[in-house]
Amino acid sequence: MKITKTICALASLLITTQFAQAQTWPTKTLTWIVPFAAGGPTDAMARDIADKVSRHLGQTVIIENTAGAGGTLGAGKAAKANPDGYTFLVGHMGYMGAAPALYKKLSYDPVKDFEAVFRFPDTPLVLLVPKTSPYKTADALIAAAKASPKKINFGNAGVGSTSHLIAALFESKAGIDVTPISYKGAAPAMNDLVGGQVDAMFDQSNTALPQVTGGRLNAIALTSLTPMPVQYPNVPALAEKTLPGFEAATWYGLYAPKGVAKDVVQKLHQAYLKALTDKDWTKRMAAQGINLLPEAQYAPEAFAKHTAAEVDRWRQVATDAKIQID
Ligand code: ASP
């Protein structure tokens, strides 16, 4: 009896505390964990969105880069964080979609341990080679890889990162075998690609763009279904001729550790929707090749459903493409 009373008292204290928190939230700086090195696509997207959202929240958002193991290190840390509405995870298709199919031991469950807050716009990828590369087309690279299995190496942002997953899908569809080289994010991998230590890499089309227009890298193919003539003139989509039907884009979004107050999720989502009414901003994203989505897809419920569907989809994709990690 006494114990029941204590439990009831504790439960009501928790509800009251959560309610009080949600009423005044946010009273201090928010932290968004980005599980890759600074300067890469996830980091760039997170900083841009955090900047806009923080203006509508009236609180600063800081980005904490906890890099390693294809994003699973930072995601594991976020899963265990206090769900007090001040620590969040910037998640993407790799460690929040594909990871359960790839890792035998994963310290978190993308669906059970997190609350989806809102989805970011998507970004397609681009196949990049160094300026001095002998491969001027994806067909030439595939032919060379077929002639010498394992000789060509592909940089990626970590085991299970999107750059790794898309390269593995590309290998499977093209019937080739390349050597993956993993880094703690796309930014350090790109440095080695520019330096010529890495032969090729898939990177997000938005962050790759300045490297290509600045003449440091060549873009030889796109993973969007159709070409992107404004951003990448004369660069074919893989689907056009080389690999019909090939299509890939990375999805991203914000998550909170499970147990966060519903009101916190709603307030963040509303701040994000307000930020998206800035047409200069959305135009700028579109000009970088970022795919803006219908508004309903940004919502917490839709994003939670999407995450669960992606976890299921990747179990199949990983089996079909024989993508394994451990
Ligand atoms: N999003 C990138 C990837 O998974 C990594 C990064 O942002 O650095 O390839």
Side-chain angles (χ1 to χ4, degrees):
M1 181 70 172
K2 230 181 183 176
I3 294 176
T4 323
K5 260 190 188 165
T6 316
I7 291 173
C8 286
L10 281 175
S12 77
L13 182 72
L14 186 74
I15 293 165
T16 320
T17 315
Q18 276 199 351
F19 181 73
Q21 252 171 19
Q23 288 295 295
T24 49
W25 182 93
T27 54
K28 59 177 186 181
T29 300
L30 277 63
T31 300
W32 291 10
I33 296 177
V34 166
F36 292 105
T42 315
D43 182 71
M45 187 86 121
R47 282 177 200 273
D48 197 18
I49 294 177
D51 174 53
K52 303 293 181 300
V53 167
S54 69
R55 292 184 205 179
H56 292 282
L57 278 182
Q59 272 296 341
T60 315
V61 176
I62 57 160
I63 301 295
E64 180 191 300
N65 298 94
T66 302
T72 59
L73 214 70
K77 182 176 174 187
K80 284 179 206 72
N82 186 349
D84 61 356
Y86 292 96
T87 306
F88 296 84
L89 172 72
V90 176
H92 85 19
M93 185 172 82
Y95 49 98
M96 293 302 275
L102 306 177
Y103 286 86
K104 284 200 195 93
K105 278 191 205 138
L106 196 64
S107 67
Y108 61 92
D109 183 314
V111 176
K112 291 194 190 124
D113 295 338
F114 289 95
E115 211 63 72
V117 181
F118 59 77
R119 182 167 164 185
F120 295 0
D122 291 352
T123 52
L125 293 94
V126 55
L127 179 54
L128 301 160
V129 293
K131 205 68 202 162
T132 53
S133 170
Y135 315 121
K136 303 291 178 219
T137 62
D139 286 337
L141 187 142
I142 291 171
K146 279 193 174 152
S148 314
K150 294 238 179 263
K151 188 167 167 266
I152 296 177
N153 66 50
F154 266 61
N156 66 57
V159 173
S161 63
T162 53
S163 39
H164 179 219
L165 294 172
I166 304 312
L169 278 181
F170 174 73
E171 270 185 280
S172 158
K173 301 274 185 236
I176 57 171
D177 203 359
V178 303
T179 300
I181 304 184
S182 294
Y183 293 80
K184 284 194 171 182
M190 289 276 271
N191 282 343
D192 277 6
L193 186 68
V194 172
Q197 294 93 316
V198 168
D199 297 321
M201 176 171 166
F202 281 97
D203 188 39
Q204 304 305 137
S205 55
N206 55 321
T207 38
L209 196 57
Q211 302 286 355
V212 174
T213 50
R216 288 177 290 279
L217 292 171
N218 285 345
I220 59 171
L222 298 164
T223 70
S224 46
L225 206 50
T226 50
M228 299 167 67
V230 178
Q231 297 85 2
Y232 288 95
N234 308 317
V235 180
L238 283 168
E240 283 180 87
K241 204 163 67 57
T242 306
L243 298 174
F246 192 100
E247 189 189 9
T250 300
W251 54 262
Y252 299 91
L254 192 71
Y255 296 88
K258 201 77 174 183
V260 71
K262 292 266 174 290
D263 213 43
V264 166
V265 171
Q266 292 310 332
K267 281 183 182 166
L268 266 165
H269 175 229
Q270 288 311 316
Y272 175 59
L273 291 185
K274 269 191 209 140
L276 283 169
T277 60
D278 176 350
K279 293 289 164 249
D280 287 341
W281 183 42
T282 51
K283 261 195 211 150
R284 188 160 49 77
M285 286 200 273
Q288 290 168 4
I290 292 173
N291 294 336
L292 294 150
L293 303 173
E295 195 175 297
Q297 290 186 26
Y298 295 133
E301 305 74 23
F303 187 36
K305 269 198 191 140
H306 174 76
T307 307
E310 280 288 284
V311 169
D312 288 344
R313 183 179 76 90
W314 272 100
R315 288 198 198 279
Q316 197 54 50
V317 174
T319 310
D320 292 350
K322 299 189 179 63
I323 308 174
Q324 280 166 347
I325 281 181
D326 293 317

